[in-house]
Amino acid sequence: SSDVCSSDLVITITNKEIHLDAEGAQSQKIQIISNTEWEIKSNEDNWLYINRETNKGDTATVFITASPNTGLQRSSRISIINEELPEQVITITQD
């Protein structure tokens, strides 16, 4: 059959360490290259914006943007989830 068996599934993330400026205007781009479905889960931080939350198995470009930060450095984690594969975590920090 043409079904992809789970050992052949792959999700590759081009950048797992994102650093954002305090001004908040700049987006950081990551690419997620996969042959399977995935979903982004974030810890619901209200200062972080992700422009794409799911995909169906090609190359997806995800832009991560933060609102301006007037306080201390803050950080967040977002996870790329697929039922068959280990969770992958992207760490985001903002000055």
Side-chain angles (χ1 to χ4, degrees):
S1 79
S2 63
D3 288 350
V4 178
C5 74
S6 63
S7 62
D8 296 331
L9 299 181
V10 64
I11 298 175
T12 303
I13 301 167
T14 56
N15 187 1
K16 292 188 183 180
E17 299 280 335
I18 304 288
H19 183 263
L20 298 165
D21 292 337
E23 293 76 47
Q26 230 178 347
S27 292
Q28 287 283 354
K29 179 172 81 169
I30 55 175
Q31 286 191 310
I32 301 175
I33 302 140
S34 72
N35 60 2
T36 184
E37 296 182 357
W38 50 264
E39 183 181 356
I40 291 179
K41 289 262 202 302
S42 65
N43 24 354
E44 301 304 319
D45 288 305
N46 56 10
W47 55 272
L48 204 59
Y49 304 95
I50 303 161
N51 80 329
R52 184 158 188 172
E53 311 241 305
T54 57
N55 203 63
K56 295 256 193 250
D58 52 11
T59 299
T61 302
V62 178
F63 289 96
I64 297 169
T65 315
S67 57
N69 185 12
T70 55
L72 300 171
Q73 186 187 74
R74 54 190 175 182
S75 65
S76 185
R77 293 151 61 90
I78 57 176
S79 302
I80 308 300
I81 310 283
N82 171 283
E83 288 171 5
E84 314 282 325
L85 292 170
E87 176 180 320
Q88 296 193 61
V89 174
I90 301 165
T91 305
I92 297 146
T93 53
Q94 183 185 25
D95 288 339

